[in-house]
Amino acid sequence: MSLSGRLVSGALLWVACLLPVSAATPVVHEYRLENGLELRVLPDHRAPVVTSQVWYRVGSADEPGGSTGLSHALEHMMFKGTQTLPPGAFSRVIAEHGGRENAFTSRDYTAYFQTLAPEHLEIAFRLEADRMRSLKLDAGEFAREIEVIKEERRLRTEDDPEARLNELFQATAFVSNGYHHPVIGWMADLDHMRVEDLRAWYARHYAPNNAILVVVGDVEPQAVLGLAKKYFGALPSGELPSRRLRRDTAQDGERRVVLRAPAKLPSLLMGYKVPTLVEAPESWEPYALEVLSGVLDGGEAARFANRLVRTGLAAGAGAGYDPMAREGGLFILGGTPSEGVEPLKLEQALRGEIERLRNEPVDPAELSRVKAQVLAQDIFGRDSNFYQAMRIGIAETVGLGAASLDAYLAGIEAVTREQVQAVARKYLIDDHLTVARLDPLPMDVSARPVASAQGGTFHAR
Amino acid sequence: MLANLLKNRRAFAGVWFALLLFPLVSVAAPRIEHWTTPQGVPVYFVRSDSLPMVDVRLLFDAGSARDGATPGLAQLTGSLLSEGADGQSAETLARGFEDVGAQFSAGVSQDSAYLSLRSLSDKARLASALDGLARILRAPDFPEDAFVRERDRQLLAIRARAQSPGEVADEAFMSALFGTHPYAHPVDGNAVSVGALTRDQVRAFHQRHYTTGTALIALVGALDRVQAEALAERLAGSLPKGEALPALPPVLPLDTSRRIDVPFPAQQASILIGQPGIARLDPDYFPLYVGNHILGGSGFSSRLVSTIREERGLAYSVYSYFMPMRQAGPFQMGMQTKLAQGEMAIGLLEADLKRFIAEGPSEEELAHARKNILGGFALRLDSNRKLVENIAAIGYLGLPLDYLDRYRDRVAAVTREDIKRAFAKHLRPETMVTVVVGGPQATEQGDAQGKQP
């Protein structure tokens, strides 16, 4: 939950020095086409495979109130035909060439990917270029697909009490920025969504000058550049809205919220407002927070495993932090209390761990362990093209740039015990805290009929 | 956290799980080296020098199918291995791995238990990581306090399953398919059984199931053959000597259809339909694999996705798969849809399956599936992690060493008639189990319990 999510493939000389077996240092090649499309290529010749990803600088956080879920719904519709290709053709053509493809939407970006043999990269480019400006957005297709999306929401959120708790938690922690609402959108907004809304969203955000093409695998950068020019080069740029950076309303006091839902186990989520790499008063602070999360939850030797789980207090406990969130960070703690332990007691223990970080510097052995893990994970991460492409795409779409990844290892390496204590003191304070608790209700169906989602909201039942 | 932030367009649809093994198309299959250590433990090794790292994967015949009369025992034993060993505490063991950046994990499935270690390959770090692994193999201590705590955590995990409609459906489905066969119960067991487990039972289970007679070692990474042999010998030498276990009993086919409705406070009906399928070494593996790819195993190219999602918008995820295990694993179709649409969806799934068994795929569908499977091979083995999982599975299931080299020809040779014949032979629409979780009514239709030896 903590460090593994955010590591990069940067190249630093001292890495090679530390490792007796030298790891070839990966270099990201950067290009920009005349129409504004950004291209990033990372050659990796370990297997005859390439991952191609198109990232758009638009995500759920860009959506206005009442229209939540637009980015994700548009992502679904991107497979439903263009002016020249029928619905489903994209997936069929990629499959025929032995490829895999899919897409994902997050708060800060929407991304589409194909993984295939390098000789077929051209096919992926042709199809992606086609749907970048020529999507059909047929009303009949939308009418069916929006039902699929509602089923997705029922599956992932409505029928999962922990997911509902997380949604409520985020909505409570973030008040006025784009992280207030869930990526998939509120059910009520999905009920009201129209294909015209998607057409406007597409016209506004899908253009070469709002996209980054990331290619990682068994390819040569110059050849990829040639292909990119051939297929994307002729696409016209669009007039883009300036992408606002919405800061959340300052939090001046602890917030507490409870979800009562049919469930078997209580659950707890706690989050402190913190800065991220996108915007931090001091550039070292996000790295110190990363190290701090590793001290708490960076494996079985970390504090949570020893002090919360092995003491019998928690059945599970975790800490995590996304240092690349664009509109603001949340340092999250959470857990499930052991049988017979009140959630309040677990909350006090979690707060106690934070208190301890504020009061005393971490042990030098803890600090060096976290750094060793980050260093190793940097090598392990290179075992996956997809993971490497993800890092690049995220860094680009949140505005940090692929080159910033090179600074990551050095940033972690430079963190001191005093800095870890300093960020704990500065940010992990009660006034910045949101606490969400799941109180289980009996799961007896007849005793508590489930409200229909029809026209209802997240809070309905 | 990342996973929570992403909304995938597709769920995990129609996957052949860890047993996906594909032939190389344009490049040679990775060379699998195989030998047996002096202690008698088989080793499977692929050298990969491009990154300074090593993956070690050990499999043991210690899965939940070996639970006997005490469901959950294999799982509890597996989770206790690293909670203290050879006199070192859990924390000390964990430090030994994490101080050098190594990642250790262990887990249990029905057919096997695994221990996995990923480490940088330089001498000092690798040695430190291997030292911890060797201790865990040699002498787990099963401390009393850890035993009580992990048992309690397992009991809580069992309770947590009951708040997930998918997990509830799985449990009912496997129980109906496998009756008294050891595949019938969940890997982590049930509350009654786990609550009664003792530390002596764990010790006894470990003694019998984690030995030179039940182990397999898979290695991938920056090692030469001499280093790999030394490493394997050291790990095998840490294991207690022991014997192989007798084969699991075969799975009997169902003799009647059953419909099980489980009441659940949910907006969706979680639907599973299926019956016992095939064992991994069944000669019909290839026609069934290719055929299922077309029926419901290939995401957006499959018939079920077309019928349920693309044409009607009834579900986000719909799939079918065979999960071949050492004995016959399940064949299943699954989906979730809002409660009012449940019966319609079941009718559509059943009709698609019946039609596929009766008519098989079209030539065009078969050609498409072939292209996808053959062309996608390299994607299945494009990382050290995938490689080590695959070669461990090849060894454990008893597949031939040239399996990867021959795979392509065997897929290419599958005909429409092969698929029709194999589906007709292995699947009987008149004896399907149908599980529906969600909604207010509890009903059970069908006239007999599944019979198993």
Side-chain angles (χ1 to χ4, degrees):
Chain A
M1 194 167 173
S2 59
L3 285 165
S4 60
R6 285 294 162 197
L7 304 177
V8 296
S9 55
L12 290 176
L13 267 183
W14 59 267
V15 179
C17 298
L18 267 175
L19 298 169
V21 185
S22 77
T25 50
V27 175
V28 179
H29 297 256
E30 307 199 0
Y31 308 97
R32 186 169 193 274
L33 304 196
E34 281 177 22
N35 61 9
L37 180 81
E38 299 283 351
L39 172 64
R40 302 290 178 266
V41 186
L42 177 60
D44 185 322
H45 302 292
R46 305 169 63 230
V49 167
V50 64
T51 291
S52 173
Q53 304 182 344
V54 174
W55 292 70
Y56 292 95
R57 292 187 192 92
V58 61
S60 62
D62 298 289
E63 296 156 359
S67 298
T68 65
L70 277 177
S71 305
H72 173 253
L74 179 56
E75 177 224 298
H76 276 239
M77 291 303 293
M78 283 281 277
F79 297 85
K80 292 297 181 179
T82 66
Q83 301 302 336
T84 53
L85 284 173
F90 191 106
S91 302
R92 191 164 53 250
V93 173
I94 295 294
E96 270 173 3
H97 291 86
R100 298 206 190 152
E101 43 84 42
N102 213 328
F104 46 86
T105 306
S106 185
R107 303 181 300 184
D108 297 326
Y109 49 79
T110 311
Y112 302 82
F113 66 87
Q114 301 82 39
T115 301
L116 28 60
E119 61 267 29
H120 299 320
L121 179 62
E122 185 162 7
I123 291 158
F125 278 16
R126 176 165 60 78
L127 293 169
E128 284 291 8
D130 176 48
R131 68 181 177 181
M132 187 174 280
R133 295 296 268 172
S134 306
L135 197 63
K136 187 149 182 229
L137 287 164
D138 175 77
E141 291 291 340
F142 171 74
R144 277 189 295 277
E145 197 61 23
I146 193 67
E147 295 306 316
V148 170
I149 294 166
K150 290 182 197 171
E151 293 293 354
E152 182 182 357
R153 191 182 152 83
R154 289 182 191 109
L155 172 68
R156 291 178 183 274
T157 308
E158 310 292 350
D159 288 345
D160 180 345
E162 300 247 4
R164 290 181 61 203
L165 181 72
N166 186 50
E167 205 170 66
L168 180 59
F169 169 68
Q170 299 282 344
T172 307
F174 294 107
V175 170
S176 61
N177 74 359
Y179 294 172
H180 175 77
H181 63 264
V183 171
I184 198 168
W186 302 114
M187 190 63 103
D189 292 349
L190 299 182
D191 285 335
H192 294 126
M193 194 178 287
R194 302 164 309 158
V195 72
E196 293 80 15
D197 304 330
L198 292 181
R199 290 192 184 127
W201 200 246
Y202 178 72
R204 197 175 155 96
H205 296 288
Y206 279 53
N209 48 329
N210 204 33
I212 302 108
L213 176 59
V214 182
V215 178
V216 178
D218 190 13
V219 292
E220 298 304 330
Q222 279 301 324
V224 176
L225 176 63
L227 281 181
K229 281 180 178 164
K230 178 176 173 188
Y231 288 101
F232 293 92
L235 295 174
S237 316
E239 272 197 42
L240 302 178
S242 69
R243 197 177 191 193
R244 293 171 300 181
L245 189 63
R246 290 199 283 173
R247 288 181 197 86
D248 199 37
T249 305
Q251 181 170 350
D252 298 310
E254 186 173 320
R255 298 172 190 161
R256 302 187 68 86
V257 62
V258 174
L259 173 68
R260 301 175 69 231
K264 289 290 184 184
L265 303 179
S267 182
L268 191 67
L269 280 172
M270 301 167 58
Y272 296 91
K273 292 284 182 55
V274 294
T276 70
L277 288 167
V278 178
E279 202 177 43
E282 304 286 345
S283 60
W284 54 264
E285 288 178 349
Y287 297 110
L289 286 162
E290 278 278 65
V291 169
L292 193 154
S293 101
V295 168
L296 292 178
D297 186 31
E300 289 297 304
R303 290 188 182 182
F304 279 8
N306 280 317
R307 297 165 58 89
L308 300 180
V309 178
R310 291 202 188 97
T311 55
L313 202 57
Y321 164 58
D322 177 0
M324 294 222 213
R326 192 171 166 273
E327 293 193 353
L330 207 52
F331 191 95
I332 298 175
L333 315 173
T336 299
S338 296
E339 179 75 47
V341 174
E342 285 299 314
L344 186 62
K345 198 171 168 204
L346 176 58
E347 181 188 332
Q348 284 163 349
L350 288 165
R351 294 174 91 128
E353 290 301 319
I354 297 300
E355 185 69 28
R356 188 175 167 212
L357 286 167
R358 279 197 296 256
N359 290 341
E360 41 187 281
V362 298
D363 195 84
E366 291 178 297
L367 185 64
S368 69
R369 183 182 313 127
V370 171
K371 289 178 180 179
Q373 289 175 303
V374 171
L375 175 73
Q377 175 58 36
D378 179 65
I379 301 292
F380 299 157
R382 292 185 217 170
D383 193 36
S384 160
N385 285 346
F386 193 85
Y387 175 85
Q388 297 184 89
M390 283 284 296
R391 310 255 68 73
I392 296 169
I394 293 171
E396 288 289 348
T397 43
V398 303
L400 292 166
S404 75
L405 299 174
D406 289 346
Y408 187 87
L409 276 180
I412 294 290
E413 185 59 29
V415 171
T416 66
R417 302 163 66 203
E418 292 72 27
Q419 287 177 332
V420 175
Q421 187 173 12
V423 290
R425 283 185 170 167
K426 183 171 175 185
Y427 295 112
L428 307 187
I429 59 177
D430 292 350
D431 274 359
H432 294 173
L433 176 63
T434 298
V435 182
R437 195 181 73 226
L438 171 64
D439 282 357
L441 290 177
M443 297 193 63
D444 181 348
V445 184
S446 53
R448 187 177 174 83
V450 176
S452 154
Q454 196 67 36
T457 71
F458 164 75
H459 301 280
R461 60 179 168 145
Chain B
M1 287 310 295
L2 191 61
N4 289 341
L5 303 176
L6 301 177
K7 300 301 298 180
N8 262 297
R9 171 167 149 262
R10 294 175 192 172
F12 192 55
V15 185
W16 202 256
F17 292 139
L19 306 181
L20 281 164
L21 300 169
F22 283 77
L24 283 163
V25 173
S26 55
V27 291
R31 199 162 77 89
I32 305 172
E33 298 183 53
H34 169 57
W35 66 90
T36 302
T37 72
Q39 299 87 354
V41 176
V43 184
Y44 298 82
F45 168 55
V46 172
R47 179 171 181 168
S48 170
D49 286 329
S50 55
L51 290 173
M53 56 188 271
V54 173
D55 281 285
V56 182
R57 188 175 179 86
L58 290 107
L59 293 186
F60 291 92
D61 193 346
S64 65
R66 299 295 182 185
D67 277 341
T70 48
L73 177 57
Q75 171 71 49
L76 183 56
T77 306
S79 27
L80 282 168
L81 293 174
S82 58
E83 287 296 318
D86 210 13
Q88 288 197 346
S89 72
E91 185 179 358
T92 306
L93 285 169
R95 280 184 183 166
F97 295 126
E98 292 165 13
D99 282 351
V100 293
Q103 299 172 345
F104 170 83
S105 65
V108 176
S109 69
Q110 281 145 322
D111 270 346
S112 64
Y114 76 85
L115 279 74
S116 159
L117 178 69
R118 168 168 269 202
S119 172
L120 295 175
S121 55
D122 65 276
K123 218 172 168 182
R125 289 188 180 92
L126 183 58
S128 171
L130 286 173
D131 181 66
L133 180 58
R135 285 173 191 273
I136 287 168
L137 295 175
R138 183 160 56 239
D141 294 330
F142 303 115
E144 178 66 28
D145 60 336
F147 166 78
V148 171
R149 184 185 67 243
E150 290 303 311
R151 187 183 61 188
D152 287 350
R153 288 181 77 202
Q154 194 165 324
L155 285 167
L156 218 58
I158 290 167
R159 266 180 60 199
R161 275 201 277 112
Q163 74 184 34
S164 158
E167 299 269 9
V168 170
D170 260 355
E171 184 171 347
F173 181 74
M174 295 296 277
S175 168
L177 250 60
F178 294 103
T180 56
H181 190 274
Y183 285 166
H185 65 266
V187 170
D188 58 9
N190 58 66
V192 174
S193 169
V194 172
L197 289 177
T198 66
R199 199 173 153 214
D200 284 343
Q201 286 174 310
V202 169
R203 282 185 186 287
F205 186 87
H206 176 262
Q207 210 164 20
R208 179 130 192 254
H209 297 87
Y210 287 86
T211 73
T212 54
T214 64
L216 171 152
I217 299 173
L219 299 170
V220 172
L223 299 169
D224 62 25
R225 172 70 181 249
V226 173
Q227 292 169 315
E229 282 187 21
L231 194 162
E233 189 174 337
R234 172 161 181 223
L235 295 180
S238 304
L239 286 169
K241 286 197 179 14
E243 300 300 319
L245 304 173
L248 295 171
V251 173
L252 296 189
L254 301 175
D255 55 14
T256 179
S257 71
R258 285 176 76 187
R259 161 81 185 240
I260 300 163
D261 286 275
V262 184
F264 198 92
Q267 296 187 5
Q268 285 183 322
S270 295
I271 299 163
L272 290 175
I273 301 175
Q275 59 189 211
I278 54 160
R280 183 56 189 82
L281 296 180
D282 192 294
D284 284 331
Y285 174 89
F286 287 95
L288 291 175
Y289 173 64
V290 177
N292 183 69
H293 193 80
I294 297 160
L295 173 65
S298 54
F300 277 65
S301 308
S302 74
R303 285 194 183 183
L304 294 182
V305 171
S306 174
T307 301
I308 298 292
R309 177 167 164 166
E310 302 299 274
E311 291 170 22
R312 294 178 180 80
L314 293 177
Y316 172 66
S317 161
V318 57
Y319 61 84
S320 66
Y321 62 72
F322 287 89
M323 190 162 82
M325 310 205 297
R326 290 211 289 186
Q327 297 296 338
F331 163 78
Q332 68 185 69
M333 302 187 289
M335 63 176 283
Q336 311 82 16
T337 190
K338 66 182 171 189
L339 292 173
Q341 297 171 161
E343 294 311 313
M344 171 177 44
I346 290 169
L348 291 166
L349 292 175
E350 287 173 346
D352 265 6
L353 178 64
K354 269 185 195 148
R355 192 161 69 90
F356 193 81
I357 293 171
E359 300 169 15
S362 70
E363 275 302 338
E364 193 193 348
E365 286 174 313
L366 178 57
H368 181 84
R370 233 185 242 142
K371 278 187 183 171
N372 180 246
I373 296 168
L374 298 178
F377 165 71
L379 279 54
R380 315 294 178 129
L381 295 173
D382 64 356
S383 69
N384 290 4
R385 188 179 299 286
K386 291 180 194 173
L387 269 176
V388 79
E389 286 174 4
N390 275 300
I391 64 173
I394 286 173
Y396 194 72
L397 292 163
L399 294 164
L401 271 187
D402 65 352
Y403 180 73
L404 297 175
D405 302 307
R406 290 170 52 207
Y407 194 100
R408 180 175 194 223
D409 292 341
R410 304 199 59 179
V411 169
V414 170
T415 65
R416 285 178 61 205
E417 285 311 308
D418 292 337
I419 293 172
K420 253 181 84 171
R421 181 195 50 73
F423 269 73
K425 177 179 168 191
H426 292 282
L427 295 184
R428 286 163 302 280
E430 68 279 7
T431 59
M432 286 282 161
V433 167
T434 301
V435 172
V436 182
V437 173
Q441 293 105 18
T443 51
E444 161 89 44
Q445 292 155 27
D447 45 20
Q449 298 288 310
K451 272 191 260 167
Q452 292 296 337

